[in-house]
Amino acid sequence: MTKKDILLNGIVVGSHDATGNTLEDAKAVEALLKGKGLYKEVTKNDAMYNQACAFSSVANDLYQRDLKKSPFKGTSVSPFIVNAVFSIELYMKTIHNAYGNNIKGHHLVSLHKGMPKKGKEHFTSAANDIRNRYQLEINSDIHTCLASLNKAFEQWRYLYEHNQIGTELQSIRYTMHAAHEACCRVREDCLNKK
């Protein structure tokens, strides 16, 4: 067995013998954290947010390593887009969840359209606040970006079935960043009031 450190908020709080079985290892970590009084129950909204952040992190890593610089690695475009767009979807579903809505589906326009008014306001203000960090077309805004990515998760997972689809990487990065920022604002606004 391999000894693995346990990090909590970036600080090593202990270690355990890793078995390679993720369920068994998770139980061991939970028991250790409970024993030290450090365990905190993860809410569904926390779990959704954490998963959205994980997919976003993978997309950002792919972009930085393979797509931002030369040589451009074309085989990383599809995994970048799938992870980025899935993170956007999860951020939007996390926003819905913060307002008590349980929503399904992959279409970003529908997820945005059905979002509570306050959530849409956070989404729009976050998008406006960060827009100048990205090289977007003049008439492009968060709504046109969402529309251009509406079915991207479905199409880019099976790129080999779709001929000549394309997208703008900056608009994806912008939309992913806006969704993350909006989600953070909504969680702070909604969850801190409880």
Side-chain angles (χ1 to χ4, degrees), residues 151-166:
K151 294 184 179 183
F153 180 72
E154 295 163 327
Q155 293 174 332
W156 283 89
R157 284 183 302 170
Y158 306 106
L159 181 61
Y160 55 85
E161 293 179 356
H162 302 277
N163 290 329
Q164 298 181 330
I165 60 172

Side-chain angles (χ1 to χ4, degrees), residues 6 37 40-41 52 60 71 73 90 94 100 139:
I6 300 170
K40 178 185 169 208
E41 194 68 38
N60 279 321
K73 189 174 178 185
L90 291 175
T94 304
N139 294 328

